[in-house]
């Protein structure tokens, strides 16, 4: 394992062991998604106000990839505008699919999941929380 992979692994295990923004607050909209092939079961909650993602929380259980990526995602998206958040989510999905991405800086810590592209069986684990929040952002758009 090279140093970069080692660093990525440490970030993932840190977020898995000490998830940020875990636990639902009852504010905002919630979306519950499951990944039966792995047993991941996650609820994401996002509160959007004036076009800004005020907070993102998550709860549930699953594998280290799923739970840690929910934690990383909640940190990155909180405080962003809805447009920025959508761009970040889109770029993240491109990275997970192994596509070339234009602006990897916007992914911040989520870059640690780029190795998942080599393991197609795990891509659902890495994207389930992100898909859940993408749905929430999309809903908001339709209302406005
Ligand atoms: Zn999983």
């Amino acid at each position: 394992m090279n140093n970069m992979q080692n660093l990525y692994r440490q970030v993932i295990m840190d977020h898995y062991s000490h998830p940020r923004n875990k636990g639902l607050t009852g504010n905002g909209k919630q979306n519950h998604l499951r990944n039966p092939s792995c047993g991941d079961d996650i609820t994401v909650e996002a509160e959007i106000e004036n076009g800004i993602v005020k907070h993102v929380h998550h709860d549930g259980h699953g594998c280290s990839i799923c739970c840690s990526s929910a934690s990383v995602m909640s940190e990155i998206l909180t405080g962003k505008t809805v447009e920025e958040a959508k761009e970040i989510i889109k770029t993240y999905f491109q990275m997970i699919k192994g596509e070339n991405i234009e602006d990897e800086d916007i992914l911040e810590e989520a870059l640690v999941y780029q190795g998942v592209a080599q393991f197609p069986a795990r891509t659902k684990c890495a994207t389930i929380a992100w898909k859940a929040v993408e749905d929430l952002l999309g809903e908001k758009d339709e209302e406005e």
Side-chain angles (χ1 to χ4, degrees):
M1 192 183 289
N2 65 33
N3 285 342
M4 211 58 182
Q5 285 171 315
N6 202 15
L7 172 72
Y8 288 171
R9 198 182 167 82
Q10 280 175 20
V11 171
I12 290 168
M13 289 319 291
D14 179 47
H15 276 272
Y16 182 55
S17 309
H18 309 284
R20 325 300 199 261
N21 305 308
K22 182 156 181 168
L24 305 175
T25 67
N27 297 315
K29 289 184 174 181
Q30 297 180 358
N31 193 16
H32 177 219
L33 290 182
R34 277 187 293 185
N35 173 13
S37 65
C38 180
D40 301 324
D41 185 312
I42 192 148
T43 302
V44 171
E45 180 187 75
E47 188 177 4
I48 294 149
E49 199 175 272
N50 301 325
I52 305 282
V53 182
K54 261 185 85 184
H55 78 79
V56 179
H57 285 87
H58 59 97
D59 207 357
H61 53 86
C63 65
S64 59
I65 300 277
C66 167
C67 292
S68 66
S69 70
S71 172
V72 169
M73 180 270 296
S74 70
E75 280 204 321
I76 294 173
L77 299 186
T78 297
K80 299 288 195 295
T81 68
V82 170
E83 287 313 307
E84 285 168 339
K86 284 182 175 174
E87 188 63 29
I88 292 166
I89 293 165
K90 195 180 91 188
T91 305
Y92 180 80
F93 290 155
Q94 287 173 333
M95 177 186 77
I96 296 292
K97 281 189 267 181
E99 294 172 5
N100 285 328
I101 52 177
E102 284 173 26
D103 186 6
E104 63 175 37
D105 288 346
I106 65 170
L107 291 178
E108 300 176 31
E109 240 183 354
L111 277 173
V112 301
Y113 297 97
Q114 61 184 245
V116 173
Q118 295 160 31
F119 304 98
R122 307 307 299 278
T123 57
K124 204 162 180 196
C125 301
T127 54
I128 184 167
W130 294 72
K131 279 208 175 10
V133 80
E134 184 186 41
D135 290 348
L136 292 175
L137 297 179
E139 273 178 33
K140 186 68 194 170
D141 244 21
E142 285 157 25
E143 281 177 17
E144 282 169 357

